[in-house]
Amino acid sequence: MTEALRQWLLGIVGASLLCAAAEQITPKGAVKSVQRAVCGMVTALALVSPLLKLDFASYAEHLSAYRVEAETLTEDADEIAAKLSRTIIAEELRAYILDKAASLGTEVTAAEVTLHWSDEGIWYPTEVRIDGEYSAALADVIEAELGVGAAGQHWSANEDD
């Protein structure tokens, strides 16, 4: 890339020097007007010469490849963001359950929240696994505050598995 830029700049400088020399040796009159027009065209050609050498088919292929790569990276970023938000929400709900259990005087050693993606585009809790003795008060809080009914609450002291 830098070599191409160097060649382009050398072309412009060379054309400018050639035109300056021609300007000095050309006599006044009609010939000088033609010489200036020709020098203007030579300088313009030197400026646009990279465009004349450009392989448009290759450029289109590279542009298409970059577009596909950008879409893939965007999809990957969206997926990572969704997983991260899911993890953060699950952790906040777990902490909420443990705090509520402590404030209610219920002995709970751990809590795990299962989330699902809604049609509205949000994560919502569907299941809660709690390590500890069953507490009706905590079960009611989980149902009222998190929307997880008795069927979605699994207490370790109540399960046989």
Side-chain angles (χ1 to χ4, degrees):
M1 181 68 177
T2 57
E3 181 60 27
L5 182 61
R6 181 179 170 277
Q7 291 297 324
W8 179 61
L9 287 173
L10 284 175
I12 293 172
V13 169
S16 298
L17 288 174
L18 181 68
C19 289
E23 179 81 21
Q24 292 301 316
I25 61 171
T26 306
K28 292 185 180 181
V31 176
K32 194 157 195 117
S33 310
V34 172
Q35 180 268 331
R36 283 185 181 158
V38 169
C39 281
M41 285 189 274
V42 168
T43 306
L45 281 173
L47 284 171
V48 297
S49 65
L51 295 176
L52 300 174
K53 296 175 187 172
L54 188 63
D55 181 10
F56 287 103
S58 174
Y59 176 74
E61 286 177 22
H62 288 342
L63 186 61
S64 177
Y66 288 136
R67 190 171 292 144
V68 168
E69 186 177 340
E71 288 174 6
T72 303
L73 289 174
T74 301
E75 290 170 3
D76 290 348
D78 289 344
E79 185 177 325
I80 290 169
K83 286 180 182 178
L84 184 59
S85 68
R86 178 181 185 175
T87 303
I88 291 169
I89 292 169
E91 180 58 29
E92 287 178 354
L93 293 175
R94 184 193 72 78
Y96 175 78
I97 291 170
L98 293 175
D99 286 346
K100 275 298 183 187
S103 70
L104 293 172
T106 303
E107 188 177 326
V108 173
T109 57
E112 181 183 331
V113 180
T114 302
L115 301 172
H116 284 101
W117 188 251
S118 73
D119 292 336
E120 292 83 28
I122 58 170
W123 291 106
Y124 66 97
T126 56
E127 238 181 344
V128 176
R129 294 195 177 281
I130 300 172
D131 290 339
E133 290 293 323
Y134 176 79
S135 164
L138 183 57
D140 290 343
V141 167
I142 292 171
E143 184 170 1
E145 298 293 323
L146 304 182
V148 180
Q153 296 179 25
H154 306 285
W155 299 77
S156 65
N158 295 344
E159 294 184 355
D160 295 327
D161 45 25

